[in-house]
Amino acid sequence: RAAGICGSDIPRIYRDGAHRMPLVPGHEFSGEVAETGGGTAGGWEGKRVAVFPLIPCRSCPACRMGGYEMCRRYSYLGSRQDGGFAEFVVVPAANLVELPEGVTFEQAAMAEPAAVAAHALKRVELAQENSVVVWGAGTVGLLLVMLLMARGIRNVFVVGKRDAQRKAVLSIGLDEERYCDGSREDAARWIAERTENNGADVVFECVGKNETIASAVGAAALAGSVCVVGNPQSDIVLPRDLYWKILRNQLTVTGTWNSSFVFDDDGMEDVAGETNGSDWKYVRGMMGDGLIHPEKLITHRLPFSDLERGLCMMRDKTEPYIKVMVHD
């Protein structure tokens, strides 16, 4: 019923190709279960669902400890097998997430990037009084801001570079003075001025470039934390001075990857709205309770028949955008 175009879809389609060709891309999607295979339990037909796109092997060391996002033999809807840019897609019933009554298909199609943001949030220790910088105001960065605000953390600063990102920050309730346009201002100085030259307790780097990783490390307070979220856009090199900052300031630098999911047969208690367990059920609960509104980040809504127009717009950057959504 709805599918978001991820930034990773553009090089996959137009430059690098996929792990298996030919392939239907699309891994951020929601829909209605039209039919189930023999032996499928749970009465899924007709239900409204989001879909966890990672299909783990369930047998490698990561899977055995429940870290399915780190599976070493996984498949993936939209990159290793056919995904959601189609009228129908075959998915494992175990990967379905039933939607609460008030959650729309558009919101549910953003559950995947929202779960990625929630997973990054769990990778650091956060207190409500902490100062937090989100460096990079794309979809995941802005969803991080939403989740931080929903957690009651108000001392949040965002570094972006486009007017569309500034407008998105305002639309989700952050004050304009907490947004820095890094293309026009010295972001390092801007953060220092707002943290009494102490730096931020936590920095989320959501870009994946050498210069922004260096800036994120430089913006962290003594004994602070840097969570590296952005996919690398090139080789990442640590200059000696940057390495010294990590050592001398005793920073905690952590990576994050994908999102956690709890399968029904795992035997784990998983309560929607709590931060342990499944990132998917967490964001489902947050959306169902009206605590986050990811649909505010949708800048373009297109029918499925115009999917190529949306892909080309993102590839060629002919219009400013945050999230491009296609729907039936």
mmCIF file of all heavy atoms in Angstrom, residues 8-48:
data_model
loop_
_atom_site.group_PDB
_atom_site.id
_atom_site.type_symbol
_atom_site.label_atom_id
_atom_site.label_comp_id
_atom_site.label_asym_id
_atom_site.label_seq_id
_atom_site.Cartn_x
_atom_site.Cartn_y
_atom_site.Cartn_z
ATOM 1 N N SER A 8 19.643 4.564 -0.050
ATOM 2 C CA SER A 8 20.460 3.440 -0.516
ATOM 3 C C SER A 8 19.887 2.795 -1.774
ATOM 4 O O SER A 8 20.594 2.070 -2.483
ATOM 5 C CB SER A 8 20.583 2.378 0.585
ATOM 6 O OG SER A 8 19.341 1.744 0.831
ATOM 7 N N ASP A 9 18.598 3.057 -2.065
ATOM 8 C CA ASP A 9 18.002 2.496 -3.280
ATOM 9 C C ASP A 9 18.591 3.122 -4.544
ATOM 10 O O ASP A 9 18.615 2.481 -5.605
ATOM 11 C CB ASP A 9 16.480 2.714 -3.286
ATOM 12 C CG ASP A 9 15.762 1.837 -2.279
ATOM 13 O OD1 ASP A 9 16.168 0.674 -2.111
ATOM 14 O OD2 ASP A 9 14.781 2.315 -1.663
ATOM 15 N N ILE A 10 19.050 4.366 -4.455
ATOM 16 C CA ILE A 10 19.503 5.073 -5.654
ATOM 17 C C ILE A 10 20.785 4.443 -6.230
ATOM 18 O O ILE A 10 20.804 4.059 -7.402
ATOM 19 C CB ILE A 10 19.683 6.576 -5.367
ATOM 20 C CG1 ILE A 10 18.378 7.168 -4.787
ATOM 21 C CG2 ILE A 10 20.091 7.313 -6.629
ATOM 22 C CD1 ILE A 10 17.138 6.912 -5.619
ATOM 23 N N PRO A 11 21.870 4.293 -5.462
ATOM 24 C CA PRO A 11 23.041 3.604 -6.032
ATOM 25 C C PRO A 11 22.758 2.140 -6.362
ATOM 26 O O PRO A 11 23.335 1.593 -7.311
ATOM 27 C CB PRO A 11 24.106 3.739 -4.933
ATOM 28 C CG PRO A 11 23.348 4.019 -3.681
ATOM 29 C CD PRO A 11 22.139 4.792 -4.096
ATOM 30 N N ARG A 12 21.858 1.516 -5.606
ATOM 31 C CA ARG A 12 21.538 0.114 -5.885
ATOM 32 C C ARG A 12 20.912 -0.029 -7.267
ATOM 33 O O ARG A 12 21.188 -0.979 -7.999
ATOM 34 C CB ARG A 12 20.586 -0.424 -4.809
ATOM 35 C CG ARG A 12 20.210 -1.885 -4.952
ATOM 36 C CD ARG A 12 19.372 -2.347 -3.771
ATOM 37 N NE ARG A 12 20.125 -2.288 -2.533
ATOM 38 C CZ ARG A 12 19.802 -1.556 -1.482
ATOM 39 N NH1 ARG A 12 18.711 -0.796 -1.515
ATOM 40 N NH2 ARG A 12 20.546 -1.556 -0.401
ATOM 41 N N ILE A 13 20.066 0.923 -7.635
ATOM 42 C CA ILE A 13 19.359 0.851 -8.913
ATOM 43 C C ILE A 13 20.209 1.399 -10.056
ATOM 44 O O ILE A 13 20.270 0.810 -11.141
ATOM 45 C CB ILE A 13 18.028 1.625 -8.819
ATOM 46 C CG1 ILE A 13 17.073 0.906 -7.856
ATOM 47 C CG2 ILE A 13 17.385 1.791 -10.192
ATOM 48 C CD1 ILE A 13 15.845 1.711 -7.479
ATOM 49 N N TYR A 14 20.893 2.519 -9.819
ATOM 50 C CA TYR A 14 21.517 3.235 -10.928
ATOM 51 C C TYR A 14 23.031 3.066 -11.034
ATOM 52 O O TYR A 14 23.613 3.449 -12.049
ATOM 53 C CB TYR A 14 21.188 4.730 -10.822
ATOM 54 C CG TYR A 14 19.729 5.025 -11.074
ATOM 55 C CD1 TYR A 14 18.877 5.382 -10.033
ATOM 56 C CD2 TYR A 14 19.195 4.922 -12.352
ATOM 57 C CE1 TYR A 14 17.538 5.640 -10.262
ATOM 58 C CE2 TYR A 14 17.861 5.181 -12.590
ATOM 59 C CZ TYR A 14 17.023 5.545 -11.550
ATOM 60 O OH TYR A 14 15.694 5.785 -11.780
ATOM 61 N N ARG A 15 23.674 2.494 -10.012
ATOM 62 C CA ARG A 15 25.134 2.427 -10.068
ATOM 63 C C ARG A 15 25.694 1.041 -9.755
ATOM 64 O O ARG A 15 26.364 0.430 -10.581
ATOM 65 C CB ARG A 15 25.739 3.457 -9.107
ATOM 66 C CG ARG A 15 27.254 3.617 -9.243
ATOM 67 C CD ARG A 15 27.780 4.564 -8.171
ATOM 68 N NE ARG A 15 27.701 3.983 -6.832
ATOM 69 C CZ ARG A 15 27.634 4.695 -5.710
ATOM 70 N NH1 ARG A 15 27.596 6.026 -5.762
ATOM 71 N NH2 ARG A 15 27.583 4.096 -4.534
ATOM 72 N N ASP A 16 25.410 0.551 -8.567
ATOM 73 C CA ASP A 16 26.106 -0.639 -8.081
ATOM 74 C C ASP A 16 25.416 -1.954 -8.422
ATOM 75 O O ASP A 16 26.050 -3.005 -8.452
ATOM 76 C CB ASP A 16 26.287 -0.566 -6.559
ATOM 77 C CG ASP A 16 27.078 0.662 -6.143
ATOM 78 O OD1 ASP A 16 27.942 1.090 -6.930
ATOM 79 O OD2 ASP A 16 26.819 1.186 -5.040
ATOM 80 N N GLY A 17 24.089 -1.906 -8.604
ATOM 81 C CA GLY A 17 23.357 -3.153 -8.742
ATOM 82 C C GLY A 17 23.080 -3.768 -7.387
ATOM 83 O O GLY A 17 23.434 -3.222 -6.342
ATOM 84 N N ALA A 18 22.438 -4.919 -7.393
ATOM 85 C CA ALA A 18 22.048 -5.592 -6.158
ATOM 86 C C ALA A 18 22.783 -6.923 -6.054
ATOM 87 O O ALA A 18 23.504 -7.341 -6.959
ATOM 88 C CB ALA A 18 20.536 -5.804 -6.134
ATOM 89 N N HIS A 19 22.592 -7.592 -4.912
ATOM 90 C CA HIS A 19 23.259 -8.872 -4.684
ATOM 91 C C HIS A 19 22.741 -9.945 -5.633
ATOM 92 O O HIS A 19 23.432 -10.922 -5.906
ATOM 93 C CB HIS A 19 23.040 -9.322 -3.235
ATOM 94 C CG HIS A 19 23.706 -8.419 -2.248
ATOM 95 N ND1 HIS A 19 25.026 -8.549 -1.900
ATOM 96 C CD2 HIS A 19 23.232 -7.354 -1.533
ATOM 97 C CE1 HIS A 19 25.349 -7.619 -1.006
ATOM 98 N NE2 HIS A 19 24.276 -6.880 -0.777
ATOM 99 N N ARG A 20 21.492 -9.763 -6.105
ATOM 100 C CA ARG A 20 20.913 -10.705 -7.050
ATOM 101 C C ARG A 20 20.175 -9.919 -8.110
ATOM 102 O O ARG A 20 19.426 -8.995 -7.803
ATOM 103 C CB ARG A 20 19.933 -11.636 -6.319
ATOM 104 C CG ARG A 20 19.514 -12.847 -7.135
ATOM 105 C CD ARG A 20 18.104 -13.315 -6.733
ATOM 106 N NE ARG A 20 17.061 -12.443 -7.283
ATOM 107 C CZ ARG A 20 15.794 -12.478 -6.893
ATOM 108 N NH1 ARG A 20 15.417 -13.271 -5.936
ATOM 109 N NH2 ARG A 20 14.892 -11.662 -7.458
ATOM 110 N N MET A 21 20.405 -10.269 -9.353
ATOM 111 C CA MET A 21 19.751 -9.555 -10.448
ATOM 112 C C MET A 21 19.056 -10.570 -11.356
ATOM 113 O O MET A 21 19.587 -11.653 -11.555
ATOM 114 C CB MET A 21 20.773 -8.752 -11.259
ATOM 115 C CG MET A 21 21.530 -7.712 -10.437
ATOM 116 S SD MET A 21 20.557 -6.257 -10.053
ATOM 117 C CE MET A 21 20.760 -5.317 -11.563
ATOM 118 N N PRO A 22 17.896 -10.255 -11.936
ATOM 119 C CA PRO A 22 17.118 -9.022 -11.709
ATOM 120 C C PRO A 22 16.473 -9.023 -10.321
ATOM 121 O O PRO A 22 16.342 -10.068 -9.687
ATOM 122 C CB PRO A 22 16.071 -9.063 -12.810
ATOM 123 C CG PRO A 22 15.853 -10.526 -13.042
ATOM 124 C CD PRO A 22 17.209 -11.162 -12.867
ATOM 125 N N LEU A 23 16.066 -7.830 -9.887
ATOM 126 C CA LEU A 23 15.546 -7.682 -8.532
ATOM 127 C C LEU A 23 14.524 -6.555 -8.486
ATOM 128 O O LEU A 23 14.696 -5.530 -9.141
ATOM 129 C CB LEU A 23 16.695 -7.352 -7.567
ATOM 130 C CG LEU A 23 16.258 -7.131 -6.126
ATOM 131 C CD1 LEU A 23 16.475 -8.404 -5.318
ATOM 132 C CD2 LEU A 23 17.011 -5.975 -5.481
ATOM 133 N N VAL A 24 13.472 -6.739 -7.696
ATOM 134 C CA VAL A 24 12.552 -5.651 -7.361
ATOM 135 C C VAL A 24 13.048 -5.018 -6.063
ATOM 136 O O VAL A 24 13.059 -5.682 -5.025
ATOM 137 C CB VAL A 24 11.112 -6.166 -7.170
ATOM 138 C CG1 VAL A 24 10.197 -5.014 -6.747
ATOM 139 C CG2 VAL A 24 10.596 -6.808 -8.453
ATOM 140 N N PRO A 25 13.497 -3.757 -6.077
ATOM 141 C CA PRO A 25 13.969 -3.108 -4.845
ATOM 142 C C PRO A 25 12.805 -2.724 -3.936
ATOM 143 O O PRO A 25 11.643 -3.015 -4.209
ATOM 144 C CB PRO A 25 14.724 -1.875 -5.354
ATOM 145 C CG PRO A 25 14.833 -2.051 -6.835
ATOM 146 C CD PRO A 25 13.689 -2.899 -7.239
ATOM 147 N N GLY A 26 13.159 -2.024 -2.850
ATOM 148 C CA GLY A 26 12.166 -1.518 -1.912
ATOM 149 C C GLY A 26 12.163 -2.290 -0.612
ATOM 150 O O GLY A 26 11.745 -3.451 -0.577
ATOM 151 N N HIS A 27 12.644 -1.646 0.481
ATOM 152 C CA HIS A 27 12.665 -2.333 1.775
ATOM 153 C C HIS A 27 11.939 -1.556 2.873
ATOM 154 O O HIS A 27 11.858 -2.032 4.002
ATOM 155 C CB HIS A 27 14.112 -2.614 2.212
ATOM 156 C CG HIS A 27 14.961 -1.392 2.361
ATOM 157 N ND1 HIS A 27 15.670 -0.856 1.309
ATOM 158 C CD2 HIS A 27 15.217 -0.597 3.425
ATOM 159 C CE1 HIS A 27 16.327 0.209 1.726
ATOM 160 N NE2 HIS A 27 16.063 0.393 3.006
ATOM 161 N N GLU A 28 11.390 -0.393 2.543
ATOM 162 C CA GLU A 28 10.601 0.380 3.502
ATOM 163 C C GLU A 28 9.154 0.352 3.031
ATOM 164 O O GLU A 28 8.738 1.188 2.249
ATOM 165 C CB GLU A 28 11.082 1.834 3.567
ATOM 166 C CG GLU A 28 12.549 2.032 3.935
ATOM 167 C CD GLU A 28 12.954 3.508 3.902
ATOM 168 O OE1 GLU A 28 12.074 4.378 3.651
ATOM 169 O OE2 GLU A 28 14.140 3.795 4.109
ATOM 170 N N PHE A 29 8.368 -0.618 3.488
ATOM 171 C CA PHE A 29 7.030 -0.727 2.926
ATOM 172 C C PHE A 29 6.039 -1.317 3.924
ATOM 173 O O PHE A 29 6.411 -1.961 4.909
ATOM 174 C CB PHE A 29 7.039 -1.543 1.637
ATOM 175 C CG PHE A 29 7.482 -2.977 1.772
ATOM 176 C CD1 PHE A 29 6.551 -4.004 1.919
ATOM 177 C CD2 PHE A 29 8.827 -3.314 1.746
ATOM 178 C CE1 PHE A 29 6.953 -5.329 2.039
ATOM 179 C CE2 PHE A 29 9.243 -4.635 1.859
ATOM 180 C CZ PHE A 29 8.296 -5.643 2.004
ATOM 181 N N SER A 30 4.782 -1.082 3.631
ATOM 182 C CA SER A 30 3.679 -1.628 4.423
ATOM 183 C C SER A 30 2.598 -2.074 3.460
ATOM 184 O O SER A 30 2.584 -1.687 2.293
ATOM 185 C CB SER A 30 3.132 -0.569 5.381
ATOM 186 O OG SER A 30 2.576 0.513 4.645
ATOM 187 N N GLY A 31 1.676 -2.878 3.961
ATOM 188 C CA GLY A 31 0.620 -3.333 3.076
ATOM 189 C C GLY A 31 -0.417 -4.166 3.794
ATOM 190 O O GLY A 31 -0.508 -4.159 5.024
ATOM 191 N N GLU A 32 -1.172 -4.874 3.008
ATOM 192 C CA GLU A 32 -2.238 -5.725 3.503
ATOM 193 C C GLU A 32 -1.957 -7.151 3.051
ATOM 194 O O GLU A 32 -1.595 -7.381 1.887
ATOM 195 C CB GLU A 32 -3.569 -5.231 2.931
ATOM 196 C CG GLU A 32 -4.784 -5.949 3.449
ATOM 197 C CD GLU A 32 -6.066 -5.366 2.868
ATOM 198 O OE1 GLU A 32 -6.015 -4.238 2.342
ATOM 199 O OE2 GLU A 32 -7.096 -6.048 2.935
ATOM 200 N N VAL A 33 -2.095 -8.098 3.955
ATOM 201 C CA VAL A 33 -1.812 -9.494 3.614
ATOM 202 C C VAL A 33 -2.929 -10.004 2.710
ATOM 203 O O VAL A 33 -4.092 -10.085 3.114
ATOM 204 C CB VAL A 33 -1.689 -10.367 4.870
ATOM 205 C CG1 VAL A 33 -1.416 -11.822 4.482
ATOM 206 C CG2 VAL A 33 -0.570 -9.843 5.774
ATOM 207 N N ALA A 34 -2.580 -10.343 1.473
ATOM 208 C CA ALA A 34 -3.570 -10.786 0.487
ATOM 209 C C ALA A 34 -3.782 -12.295 0.544
ATOM 210 O O ALA A 34 -4.893 -12.783 0.291
ATOM 211 C CB ALA A 34 -3.123 -10.377 -0.917
ATOM 212 N N GLU A 35 -2.709 -13.039 0.859
ATOM 213 C CA GLU A 35 -2.806 -14.499 0.818
ATOM 214 C C GLU A 35 -1.674 -15.078 1.662
ATOM 215 O O GLU A 35 -0.603 -14.480 1.767
ATOM 216 C CB GLU A 35 -2.675 -14.990 -0.629
ATOM 217 C CG GLU A 35 -2.875 -16.477 -0.835
ATOM 218 C CD GLU A 35 -2.769 -16.859 -2.305
ATOM 219 O OE1 GLU A 35 -3.015 -15.985 -3.169
ATOM 220 O OE2 GLU A 35 -2.422 -18.023 -2.582
ATOM 221 N N THR A 36 -1.910 -16.229 2.274
ATOM 222 C CA THR A 36 -0.869 -16.897 3.053
ATOM 223 C C THR A 36 -0.615 -18.287 2.498
ATOM 224 O O THR A 36 -1.507 -18.926 1.931
ATOM 225 C CB THR A 36 -1.265 -17.009 4.534
ATOM 226 O OG1 THR A 36 -2.510 -17.704 4.644
ATOM 227 C CG2 THR A 36 -1.398 -15.638 5.173
ATOM 228 N N GLY A 37 0.625 -18.736 2.683
ATOM 229 C CA GLY A 37 0.989 -20.073 2.233
ATOM 230 C C GLY A 37 0.475 -21.132 3.190
ATOM 231 O O GLY A 37 0.054 -20.854 4.309
ATOM 232 N N GLY A 38 0.532 -22.376 2.733
ATOM 233 C CA GLY A 38 0.062 -23.492 3.542
ATOM 234 C C GLY A 38 0.830 -23.590 4.848
ATOM 235 O O GLY A 38 2.045 -23.445 4.880
ATOM 236 N N GLY A 39 0.107 -23.809 5.928
ATOM 237 C CA GLY A 39 0.745 -23.980 7.227
ATOM 238 C C GLY A 39 1.049 -22.697 7.959
ATOM 239 O O GLY A 39 1.570 -22.717 9.074
ATOM 240 N N THR A 40 0.737 -21.526 7.357
ATOM 241 C CA THR A 40 0.994 -20.257 8.027
ATOM 242 C C THR A 40 -0.006 -20.051 9.155
ATOM 243 O O THR A 40 -1.215 -20.067 8.943
ATOM 244 C CB THR A 40 0.895 -19.076 7.038
ATOM 245 O OG1 THR A 40 1.845 -19.275 5.996
ATOM 246 C CG2 THR A 40 1.179 -17.760 7.743
ATOM 247 N N ALA A 41 0.504 -19.872 10.356
ATOM 248 C CA ALA A 41 -0.363 -19.673 11.513
ATOM 249 C C ALA A 41 -0.589 -18.186 11.747
ATOM 250 O O ALA A 41 0.124 -17.339 11.222
ATOM 251 C CB ALA A 41 0.286 -20.309 12.745
ATOM 252 N N GLY A 42 -1.572 -17.875 12.533
ATOM 253 C CA GLY A 42 -1.755 -16.497 12.982
ATOM 254 C C GLY A 42 -2.895 -15.751 12.338
ATOM 255 O O GLY A 42 -3.201 -14.629 12.715
ATOM 256 N N GLY A 43 -3.579 -16.350 11.348
ATOM 257 C CA GLY A 43 -4.709 -15.674 10.732
ATOM 258 C C GLY A 43 -4.359 -14.335 10.132
ATOM 259 O O GLY A 43 -5.030 -13.324 10.357
ATOM 260 N N TRP A 44 -3.285 -14.303 9.306
ATOM 261 C CA TRP A 44 -2.759 -13.026 8.816
ATOM 262 C C TRP A 44 -3.572 -12.431 7.662
ATOM 263 O O TRP A 44 -3.479 -11.227 7.405
ATOM 264 C CB TRP A 44 -1.313 -13.216 8.361
ATOM 265 C CG TRP A 44 -0.321 -13.275 9.479
ATOM 266 C CD1 TRP A 44 0.337 -14.376 9.947
ATOM 267 C CD2 TRP A 44 0.117 -12.177 10.285
ATOM 268 N NE1 TRP A 44 1.161 -14.036 10.992
ATOM 269 C CE2 TRP A 44 1.047 -12.691 11.220
ATOM 270 C CE3 TRP A 44 -0.179 -10.819 10.316
ATOM 271 C CZ2 TRP A 44 1.681 -11.891 12.160
ATOM 272 C CZ3 TRP A 44 0.436 -10.016 11.258
ATOM 273 C CH2 TRP A 44 1.362 -10.554 12.173
ATOM 274 N N GLU A 45 -4.341 -13.219 6.948
ATOM 275 C CA GLU A 45 -5.010 -12.697 5.745
ATOM 276 C C GLU A 45 -5.899 -11.504 6.084
ATOM 277 O O GLU A 45 -6.674 -11.526 7.033
ATOM 278 C CB GLU A 45 -5.825 -13.797 5.070
ATOM 279 C CG GLU A 45 -4.943 -14.836 4.383
ATOM 280 C CD GLU A 45 -5.711 -15.729 3.421
ATOM 281 O OE1 GLU A 45 -6.821 -15.343 3.014
ATOM 282 O OE2 GLU A 45 -5.190 -16.800 3.084
ATOM 283 N N GLY A 46 -5.719 -10.433 5.281
ATOM 284 C CA GLY A 46 -6.504 -9.223 5.452
ATOM 285 C C GLY A 46 -5.945 -8.248 6.468
ATOM 286 O O GLY A 46 -6.439 -7.123 6.577
ATOM 287 N N LYS A 47 -4.905 -8.638 7.203
ATOM 288 C CA LYS A 47 -4.362 -7.746 8.232
ATOM 289 C C LYS A 47 -3.446 -6.687 7.625
ATOM 290 O O LYS A 47 -2.770 -6.918 6.626
ATOM 291 C CB LYS A 47 -3.611 -8.549 9.295
ATOM 292 C CG LYS A 47 -4.541 -9.354 10.198
ATOM 293 C CD LYS A 47 -3.805 -9.977 11.362
ATOM 294 C CE LYS A 47 -4.775 -10.666 12.311
ATOM 295 N NZ LYS A 47 -4.085 -11.320 13.440
ATOM 296 N N ARG A 48 -3.438 -5.520 8.258
ATOM 297 C CA ARG A 48 -2.571 -4.411 7.870
ATOM 298 C C ARG A 48 -1.235 -4.588 8.590
ATOM 299 O O ARG A 48 -1.194 -4.768 9.807
ATOM 300 C CB ARG A 48 -3.212 -3.079 8.257
ATOM 301 C CG ARG A 48 -4.577 -2.862 7.662
ATOM 302 C CD ARG A 48 -5.359 -1.739 8.335
ATOM 303 N NE ARG A 48 -4.685 -0.468 8.255
ATOM 304 C CZ ARG A 48 -4.053 0.118 9.256
ATOM 305 N NH1 ARG A 48 -3.984 -0.456 10.455
ATOM 306 N NH2 ARG A 48 -3.462 1.288 9.090
#
